[in-house]
Amino acid sequence: MKINLFKTAILLIAIVLVNKLNAQLIVNVGQTPTQLVQNVLVGGGVLVNNVTFVGSTTGTYRQIGEFSNGSTTNLGINAGVVISSGNVSVIPNASSQQLDQNYGSSGDADLAQLLGTSISNSYDAAILEFDFQPLSNTVSFKYVFGSEEYNDYVNSNFNDVFGFFISGPGITGPFSNNSANIALIPFTTTPVAINNVNNGGPVSGCATGPCTNCTYYIDNCSGGTIIYDGFTTALTATANVQPCQWYHIKLAVSDIYDGVFDSGVFLEANSFSSDAVNLSSYYTNPSLGLNAIEGCSDGLISFTLNNPATVNDTIFYTISGTATNGIDYTTIPSYVIIPAGFDSTSIIINAVMDGLTEGTETVILHVQTSSCGTQDITLNITDNTPILATVTADQTICDGNQPVNFSVAASGGVAPISLLWSNGLGSSANISTSPLVGITTYTVTATDACGATKTDSILITVNPTPTATFTAQSPICAGLPSSIVYTGTPGATMTWNLNGATILSGTPSSGNFGITWNAAGTYAITLSVTNSEGCISTLETHYIQVLGAGTPNCCIAPTPDAGPDLQFCGLSGNFQAITPDDPSYVGTWTQITGPGISNYGDIHLINSTISVSLPGTYTYQWNEVNGPCDSADVVSILFIQNPIANAGPDSSLCGLNYSMLAQPSSGIGTWSGTGITSPSNPNSNVTVIAYGTYTYVWTENNNGCLSTDTVLIDFLQVPNANAGTDGTGCGFS
């Protein structure tokens, strides 16, 4: 044929315009023809041998290879084997042309006969042949035919051709060895060729019709991702055969009339198949191993046809193995049915967790995969036991004995086992924590690799530890009483060591009692306390100094009482201590704390008026003296600054609206009176509905200390002046 210069120019422009890297077919020429047939082309239900290939398989130009990545293109087939009358390596180059020089090889007589021409007009034939044995009554495969002859040489003598010629039992055809061509336009006996499938032509560039069988044609004239300017849709070649018999097939493509523009045929991977049953095994938890696990990972055996069943297909099998059907796994039948229109079904081997140690057991299916073949498939079942999680025993401790330590022992299930504690304790098996007083529950969840879980809990009870605090009067005189007052935990059992003291009043078990010693010295009193939970306090110790009877300081100490805490409005107030039991005791007031200076007047008066310089809380001590013995008591006095309410001046106005003019001081103020709109606003608006004089009270409150002021507002009516009507007169009066 002749090279079309216009077409070449269009393709050169396409080099610039088409980004071929976005999606590109991949062609690999690393495998031999035998490997390509056995590893790539052939699917299930077919046995093959005696693979041969006529064409170039070495050097730069090779006529057979493996393609992939077709799903990113418009080819219609993702992967498979490609054979061509040209160099297959250039097929992915959409911006170029497949126009190899003539290989010098001859054509093929069957291809020439297919077009009704002489073999001398057939060039560069690529012929893949092999014997095969189908395991069912049909064999089929998917293919796409493409050519550089599109669209320039459509309906010309440059009608590159391909064919799939099958021969064997029951096959009768006009080609060599009585073979028949099964590369046909669907539902016809017409072979697939350039002049039989196209969108019209000849034409340079894209064709617009009239088309021939263009339902099966893809116009690729504008480039895209494959070198051919046109190719067919994905078609299926099918032949009726006799199961278990040997057949021969020849897959051939050649140039016609010259060896320049080339053509190729794409054969889908694994599509050369028959409808024998294919067996596969799967597992629901394959990461745990390729076996079923009792109560964890199911096994699944799939039965798959290469093509959907035309009628319900019943597949029988026998069951054997060391595992017992219905006991070691849920019952499965002795057959499966693939419904019409479907190509697969499956059975589930659900291994039962029986708690027995049986070792690895097997399930074996002996399947009639075709009329002339059987296949065994084996599933292993491994043992499993329920997961266990046991936490150490509950604990009871006394507060202060933290931390507590506990742990969990997990077993059974399928390794690995993960742990998760509540209360944020993490995932360790050994825990150390410090709970608060009360009862705390810690729960652990153990989860095995199958997702089975087991929980267990521990209760940690932390009982409060009692306090053993008490007060004891010291120093005291020998023979005179000392008071013991218990201030620790109520309701506890007390253990005293009174160091030889005589109990004068009360009982130690109550915690409030009086004691004395007859001899001078320093005596230690100790106390420990045990509560109802058995928790023991730390030992509390007080040292009592006992003075001899002749000691000058050995006297009866007074018991002063400064009176209750008080609160005054203003910066002065009158308060008094409680009169002492003995009028001979001498008392004085002193200031202990306060933000300002106090003025007492006579500091010796029990009933005293005290003024301060600043508001705030003051602490005063009343000290009573009995000779060398003295004692003191304190009182807290809060002086609150009195507010000074100022409602503003009296006023009168024309109208019914007025804005008040209170002057706030130290308190929170509120208005009362007629028509106040914002009582807490010193400058609140007032609106009345009748003229007259109104009284308003401004009250300020500083922490309970009140002050009020009154203002009078006279609302006056605005007069309505009326001068009469306008008029006209004669003269000046």
Side-chain angles (χ1 to χ4, degrees):
M1 70 183 73
K2 306 298 182 184
I3 299 177
N4 186 297
L5 296 179
F6 179 78
K7 177 178 178 181
T8 303
I10 292 296
L11 290 172
L12 291 175
I13 294 172
I15 294 174
V16 179
L17 298 179
V18 176
N19 184 356
K20 65 180 180 178
L21 296 178
N22 289 338
Q24 189 175 43
L25 197 71
I26 298 172
V27 174
N28 188 309
V29 294
Q31 297 191 64
T32 66
T34 298
Q35 291 171 330
L36 290 171
V37 171
Q38 293 178 339
N39 300 339
V40 181
L41 178 59
V42 171
V46 173
L47 305 176
V48 300
N49 62 21
N50 298 328
V51 178
T52 63
F53 182 74
V54 174
S56 177
T57 58
T58 59
T60 303
Y61 299 97
R62 303 193 184 193
Q63 292 181 267
I64 187 169
E66 178 185 7
F67 72 91
S68 60
N69 209 37
S71 60
T72 67
T73 73
N74 55 348
L75 181 62
I77 297 177
N78 182 53
V81 175
V82 58
I83 58 176
S84 174
S85 60
N87 181 11
V88 296
S89 297
V90 302
I91 291 176
N93 189 359
S95 60
S96 183
Q97 292 180 311
Q98 192 186 33
L99 40 77
D100 304 330
Q101 296 300 317
N102 193 320
Y103 286 102
S105 60
S106 62
D108 179 74
D110 288 331
L111 292 176
Q113 179 182 345
L114 191 64
L115 293 183
T117 187
S118 169
I119 190 174
S120 61
N121 294 324
S122 177
Y123 300 89
D124 298 337
I127 305 170
L128 178 65
E129 297 186 69
F130 55 87
D131 297 329
F132 69 93
Q133 184 187 66
L135 301 182
S136 68
N137 57 8
T138 59
V139 66
S140 64
F141 57 93
K142 291 179 68 175
Y143 68 94
V144 168
F145 170 68
S147 179
E148 284 283 19
E149 301 287 359
Y150 290 113
N151 290 300
D152 307 71
Y153 300 99
V154 170
N155 297 322
S156 72
N157 288 331
F158 303 112
N159 187 17
D160 287 0
V161 68
F162 77 103
F164 304 146
F165 304 99
I166 185 171
S167 59
I171 302 293
T172 300
F175 303 100
S176 60
N177 298 319
N178 291 323
S179 61
N181 176 38
I182 57 174
L184 304 174
I185 295 172
F187 312 111
T188 73
T189 59
T190 304
V192 177
I194 292 173
N195 290 348
N196 294 337
V197 180
N198 57 68
N199 198 32
V203 63
S204 296
C206 299
T208 58
C211 70
T212 302
N213 294 311
C214 56
T215 301
Y216 308 111
Y217 177 69
I218 295 175
D219 202 338
N220 197 43
C221 63
S222 297
T225 55
I226 298 171
I227 197 169
Y228 297 128
D229 286 355
F231 44 83
T232 67
T233 60
L235 302 174
T236 301
T238 303
N240 293 322
V241 292
Q242 298 176 13
C244 312
Q245 300 296 314
W246 282 99
Y247 288 81
H248 183 81
I249 192 167
K250 179 172 72 172
L251 311 170
V253 60
S254 77
D255 292 333
I256 297 296
Y257 269 89
D258 69 8
V260 184
F261 284 131
D262 300 312
S263 300
V265 63
F266 301 85
L267 309 171
E268 186 177 48
N270 305 124
S271 68
F272 193 91
S273 61
S274 66
D275 288 335
V277 178
N278 302 299
L279 303 178
S280 299
S281 59
Y282 305 93
Y283 301 91
T284 54
N285 276 320
S287 61
L288 304 179
L290 298 182
N291 47 259
I293 303 173
E294 292 180 348
C296 170
S297 181
D298 293 336
L300 184 145
I301 298 176
S302 69
F303 303 79
T304 304
L305 302 175
N306 295 309
N307 295 291
T310 56
V311 296
N312 288 352
D313 191 350
T314 302
I315 302 168
F316 293 94
Y317 49 82
T318 57
I319 305 169
S320 61
T322 57
T324 303
N325 188 12
I327 296 178
D328 294 308
Y329 53 95
T330 54
T331 303
I332 61 173
S334 59
Y335 64 92
V336 294
I337 298 175
I338 299 179
F342 293 84
D343 63 358
S344 64
T345 190
S346 61
I347 59 171
I348 296 176
I349 306 299
N350 178 242
V352 176
M353 185 185 294
D354 53 20
L356 302 176
T357 302
E358 302 160 305
T360 300
E361 299 175 285
T362 58
V363 179
I364 303 173
L365 300 189
H366 186 70
V367 184
Q368 188 73 35
T369 55
S370 70
S371 59
C372 55
T374 60
Q375 181 180 345
D376 289 348
I377 188 166
T378 300
L379 246 70
N380 293 327
I381 298 176
T382 59
D383 288 335
N384 189 11
T385 57
I387 185 172
L388 299 176
T390 304
V391 181
T392 49
D394 296 343
Q395 297 183 41
T396 298
I397 65 168
C398 295
D399 191 23
N401 292 333
Q402 296 94 332
V404 293
N405 301 305
F406 50 89
S407 62
V408 60
S411 60
V414 177
I417 295 176
S418 62
L419 303 173
L420 182 63
W421 289 92
S422 64
N423 305 70
L425 295 186
S427 57
S428 174
N430 300 300
I431 299 298
S432 179
T433 188
S434 297
L436 301 176
V437 172
I439 299 176
T440 305
T441 301
Y442 298 100
T443 300
V444 65
T445 300
T447 305
D448 74 355
C450 299
T453 61
K454 184 67 176 180
T455 61
D456 196 18
S457 300
I458 183 173
L459 298 181
I460 303 296
T461 302
V462 179
N463 290 320
T465 296
T467 59
T469 54
F470 65 95
T471 60
Q473 183 182 353
S474 177
I476 64 171
C477 295
L480 295 180
S482 174
S483 297
I484 305 297
V485 178
Y486 176 61
T487 59
T489 303
T493 300
M494 290 170 280
T495 302
W496 294 93
N497 181 356
L498 300 177
N499 203 358
T502 300
I503 299 174
L504 298 179
S505 63
T507 60
S509 61
S510 68
N512 298 301
F513 56 98
I515 60 173
T516 189
W517 285 268
N518 294 322
T522 300
Y523 297 89
I525 299 177
T526 62
L527 170 65
S528 66
V529 173
T530 304
N531 62 16
S532 59
E533 291 84 13
C535 297
I536 302 174
S537 69
T538 56
L539 192 67
E540 181 86 353
T541 302
H542 285 257
Y543 293 93
I544 308 298
Q545 183 181 8
V546 179
L547 303 176
T551 303
N553 290 330
C554 190
C555 55
I556 298 175
T559 56
D561 187 346
D565 294 339
L566 299 173
Q567 175 176 308
F568 295 121
C569 293
L571 300 182
S572 65
N574 181 268
F575 56 95
Q576 70 177 42
I578 304 301
T579 303
D581 296 332
D582 189 333
S584 65
Y585 296 167
V586 178
T588 57
W589 287 105
T590 56
Q591 178 182 338
I592 305 301
T593 63
I597 300 173
S598 302
N599 181 10
Y600 299 91
D602 188 347
I603 63 173
H604 299 290
L605 295 178
I606 291 177
N607 186 349
S608 181
T609 298
I610 296 179
S611 61
V612 296
S613 60
L614 294 173
T617 300
Y618 291 76
T619 302
Y620 299 100
Q621 177 175 287
W622 173 250
N623 190 70
E624 292 182 359
V625 178
N626 179 23
C629 299
D630 68 338
S631 296
D633 190 27
V634 296
V635 64
S636 177
I637 309 295
L638 173 62
F639 294 92
I640 300 173
Q641 179 70 57
N642 265 324
I644 302 174
N646 184 352
D650 296 342
S651 182
S652 62
L653 70 153
C654 298
L656 299 174
N657 297 294
Y658 181 70
S659 179
M660 310 302 287
L661 300 172
Q663 303 297 317
S665 61
S666 59
I668 298 173
T670 56
W671 283 104
S672 61
T674 303
I676 297 294
T677 59
S678 300
S680 61
N681 186 349
N683 303 115
S684 175
N685 289 326
V686 177
T687 301
V688 298
I689 61 175
Y691 299 103
T693 300
Y694 292 80
T695 299
Y696 295 94
V697 178
W698 173 251
T699 301
E700 289 193 22
N701 184 339
N702 185 13
N703 294 309
C705 297
L706 303 176
S707 176
T708 62
D709 190 26
T710 301
V711 63
L712 298 178
I713 307 299
D714 191 6
F715 295 91
L716 302 177
Q717 184 172 3
V718 178
N720 186 12
N722 188 350
T725 59
D726 296 339
T728 303
C730 297
F732 298 98
S733 61

